[in-house]
Amino acid sequence: QSVLTQPPSASGTPGQRVIISCSGSISNIETNTVNWYQQLPGMAPKLLIYGDNQGPSGVPDRFSGSKSGTSASLAISGLQSEDEADYYCAAWDDRVSGVLFGGGTKLTVL
Amino acid sequence: EVQLLESGGGLVQPGGSLRLSCAASGFSFSSYGMSWVRQAPGKGLEWVSAMSGGAISTYYADSVEGRFTISRDNSKNTLYLQMNSLRAEDTAVYYCAKEYFQNSLHDAFDMWGQGTMVTVSS
């Protein structure tokens, strides 16, 4: 059971904006930065957002992150068919001294 | 080009041992913390263990504490994971991952290997 809680699924049509939530606690999301990863089918995860809201070089600015208190969100605007993937939030947890991942959200582009 | 290449996976019986390796290239290996992350078939990501660049600090998930040992040889640019007392629930693809920032263990993973499959079964 993941300590970071994500909805198991999300969906949208091309061009839409989709938001994926990630809920945690004081010892992880509120205290440390949140990172988001995209995992395409059969592939290794890829860093999408780091430091709550920073996009690595090469990641389209359609992807954005935000955080408030013990919750974080990933927003994907201008949804495209190639965005269909699993998305994971992650953060260091001071209580367990380790990285926690959310359970993952499977995004379907209708 | 930054590259991580895992090896050492395979089929092992319950209670057995296996050592995974992750060969790194394209960056100053000793300056970066490294982690192992696993993914059971059809399941989500689970962080397993982390080690600082200078091999001073190590961290483990409760699920592997006392059974797995992370290590690194900075002269060979290689990260290891020694896995003992393996259980069926350790069956997963094991990825090594590089920290985004130098001298950090609490940040993002900006590079992942392709993964190596470990199957624990009799």
Side-chain angles (χ1 to χ4, degrees), chain A residues 2 7 12-14 26 28 31-32 48 51 54 73 78 92 102 108:
Chain A
S2 304
T13 56
I26 293 174
N28 41 70
T31 306
N32 299 294
L48 212 54
Q54 303 298 304
S73 296
W92 182 266
T108 300

Side-chain angles (χ1 to χ4, degrees), chain A residues 2 15 18 27 29-30 45 49 54 57 74 79 91 96-97 100 107:
Chain A
S2 304
V18 170
S27 62
I29 290 181
E30 184 161 294
I49 296 290
Q54 303 298 304
S57 173
L74 172 71
L79 200 61
V96 302
S97 293
L100 296 180
L107 176 64

Side-chain angles (χ1 to χ4, degrees), chain A residues 55-95:
Chain A
S57 173
V59 173
D61 57 9
R62 302 187 295 106
F63 296 91
S64 62
S66 63
K67 187 176 82 174
S68 179
T70 60
S71 294
S73 296
L74 172 71
I76 309 172
S77 59
L79 200 61
Q80 299 178 5
S81 57
E82 54 260 42
D83 297 334
E84 194 160 279
D86 293 325
Y87 293 84
Y88 295 90
C89 60
W92 182 266
D93 187 285
D94 291 337
R95 185 178 60 83

Side-chain angles (χ1 to χ4, degrees), chain B residues 40-73:
Chain B
K43 302 297 184 182
L45 301 173
E46 180 189 16
W47 172 81
V48 172
S49 181
M51 174 169 268
S52 59
I56 300 300
S57 301
T58 59
Y59 300 92
Y60 295 94
D62 287 346
S63 58
V64 306
E65 179 89 56
R67 300 187 299 122
F68 290 11
T69 302
I70 191 172
S71 63
R72 62 192 296 161
D73 185 337

Side-chain angles (χ1 to χ4, degrees), chain B residues 84-104:
Chain B
N84 299 331
S85 303
L86 282 162
R87 306 166 180 168
E89 53 264 37
D90 296 318
T91 295
V93 173
Y94 285 73
Y95 297 99
C96 63
K98 168 189 167 290
E99 285 282 339
Y100 195 1
F101 296 105
Q102 291 191 30
N103 304 314
S104 172

